[in-house]
Amino acid sequence: MHDVRTVKAPSMLRLAAASLVGSAIEFYDFFVYGTAAALVIGPLFFPTFSPLAGTLAAFATFGVGFVARPLGSVLFGHMGDRRGRRPVLILSLLLTGVSTVAVGCLPTYSTIGVAAPVLLLLLRFLQGLGLGGEWGGAVLLTAEHAPPERRVLWSSFPQVGPSLGFTLANGVMLALSTSLSDAQFAQWGWRVPFWGAGLLALGGLWLRSSLAESPRFLDIEEHARVPLLDVFRHHWRLVLLTAGALAVGYAVFYAVTTWSLAYGTERLGVSSTVMLTCVMAAVVVKGALTPLMALLGDRYGRRSMCLTGCAAAALWMFPMVALLATGEPLLIFLAFLGALVAFITMFAVIAAYLPELYEARLRCTGAAVGYNLGGVLGGALTPIVATALAENSGRVPWGVGAYLTGVALLSLGCFALLPETRPVPAAAAEPVTG
């Protein structure tokens, strides 16, 4: 059954803005942990480890959040396909917010011993569980309200959320790290951004409480009893291809925003303030470019944008690590900017592309599972693998460049095997089902 209802631009703007704000809050929660993992988590929660081992252990707890995200997509995807997209937005934000505040209240290893990293691991898992549900609910509610000819543009609003969340998380961390002494920051300053997540979550819940349910969901006549089973029975190849295709985006993003912070401060001797500033500036540009890339996706197609971004990432990884290794702030910024422009060329269109690949009754589960499995492949492993590879290299971590290039080529092959889904002009036919 095709959705013939239309949503006027003012209503779309309110819906997209609410999705953007909620997405920004959830990604703030997720990113603030990543920055803390690069800067303070190792010494505070793994003090008996060597500096390298402590960093690897901190990144391992960071990776647990990615492992949890596919499970969250299954749990909340089932809810989204059975009960509606709107409840997913409320419950996922609540879960992520509560677990983030709890991290800020957690005693360190010096206070409660081994229970500290165990509880940290649990809370990071819950963060990932909530975020795994967030993406599917936010993008579907927006994409399914949007007119087909501007679906990429409107659904790109939640994709700006990670940029805003990252900038806010790192801005708070930067302000605290520069205004406090190292001892004060390690003692209590790092906790403040986690506590702030509680206030942000309350604001996000208030915004989302007034959102209307997706008209496309309301049009579904027969809901899948167990959406995950139907997804893997009929669309397993599509799930694997989308996971492989998206791996490069996660790998590039977290190489820039997480691994590079630790590498720059520990190996190159660049101050954390400089590294955070370079990353934040590149992320701000990425966020500003998102609507432009989305407009190109509406005009030229989703798959073509993904192939272009993927190829650009493959070509840029070696120059990126070479520029990073100079330790010069401007060159570091350029390294990060090139990587994130390639990233957003792909990810600006993904919020429309993935849902269009699945039939409406399964897309909350199918799109979210593929998206978050890509996070496991690209995001969970990259900080750990890159840290290990950089340890055994000279000043320029060519091994990291080779690893990221390999991931980009894998994703390029997966994108090449996926179909285009852009609706033909003046038609709003039901998207292909893979």
Side-chain angles (χ1 to χ4, degrees), residues 409-430:
L409 293 175
L410 168 67
S411 294
L412 186 66
C414 291
F415 274 126
L417 295 173
L418 289 172
E420 179 57 77
T421 61
R422 180 167 63 102
V424 296
E430 182 64 32

Side-chain angles (χ1 to χ4, degrees), residues 41-257:
I41 292 293
L44 293 177
F45 288 87
F46 305 96
T48 61
F49 290 19
S50 68
L52 173 62
T55 300
L56 287 171
F59 283 153
T61 60
F62 175 76
V64 165
F66 285 97
V67 174
R69 283 172 67 168
L71 298 178
S73 66
V74 171
L75 174 65
F76 288 103
H78 181 91
M79 180 187 301
D81 284 326
R82 293 282 297 168
R83 304 297 179 189
R85 318 321 191 191
R86 185 174 172 275
V88 171
L89 297 185
I90 305 297
L91 294 177
S92 63
L93 181 57
L94 185 62
L95 176 60
T96 308
V98 170
S99 57
T100 304
V101 173
V103 171
C105 300
L106 193 62
T108 61
Y109 187 94
S110 63
T111 304
I112 61 174
V114 72
V118 171
L119 290 173
L120 183 69
L121 199 70
L122 174 63
L123 292 173
R124 180 60 178 171
F125 180 86
L126 294 176
Q127 265 192 330
L129 206 67
L131 193 62
E134 156 66 23
W135 186 84
V139 302
L140 281 188
L141 199 62
T142 308
E144 291 184 338
H145 275 89
E149 67 277 6
R150 284 288 177 263
R151 186 175 291 139
V152 178
L153 176 62
W154 287 115
S155 61
S156 73
F157 276 67
Q159 294 298 80
V160 179
S163 296
L164 291 179
F166 181 88
T167 304
L168 180 59
N170 284 275
V172 174
M173 280 287 193
L174 181 60
L176 289 167
S177 64
T178 54
S179 60
L180 302 175
S181 68
D182 290 344
Q184 288 174 322
F185 184 75
Q187 184 177 13
W188 60 268
W190 68 273
R191 298 180 182 275
V192 174
F194 290 90
W195 296 337
L199 294 176
L200 292 174
L202 290 175
L205 289 171
W206 176 76
L207 279 173
R208 289 184 164 185
S209 63
S210 61
L211 294 181
E213 183 53 79
S214 157
R216 189 66 190 91
F217 174 80
L218 296 175
D219 282 344
I220 298 173
E221 297 178 347
E222 184 178 352
H223 298 279
R225 294 187 60 185
V226 185
L228 182 66
L229 291 181
D230 283 358
V231 166
F232 280 104
R233 182 181 295 121
H234 303 296
H235 306 297
W236 61 269
R237 180 177 177 272
L238 183 56
V239 170
L240 294 179
L241 283 176
T242 53
L246 297 179
V248 63
Y250 285 100
V252 167
F253 189 83
Y254 288 101
V256 168
T257 61

Side-chain angles (χ1 to χ4, degrees), residues 307-330:
L307 290 171
T308 301
C310 215
L315 294 172
W316 186 248
M317 292 303 96
F318 282 111
M320 183 189 80
V321 297
L323 291 170
L324 172 62
T326 66
E328 295 293 329
L330 179 58

Side-chain angles (χ1 to χ4, degrees), residues 8 36 51 86 92 99 121 145 259 265 270 289 303 343 358 419:
K8 295 182 179 179
R86 185 174 172 275
S92 63
S99 57
L121 199 70
H145 275 89
W259 166 75
T265 55
V270 181
L289 288 175
R303 179 174 173 268
F343 164 87
Y358 293 88

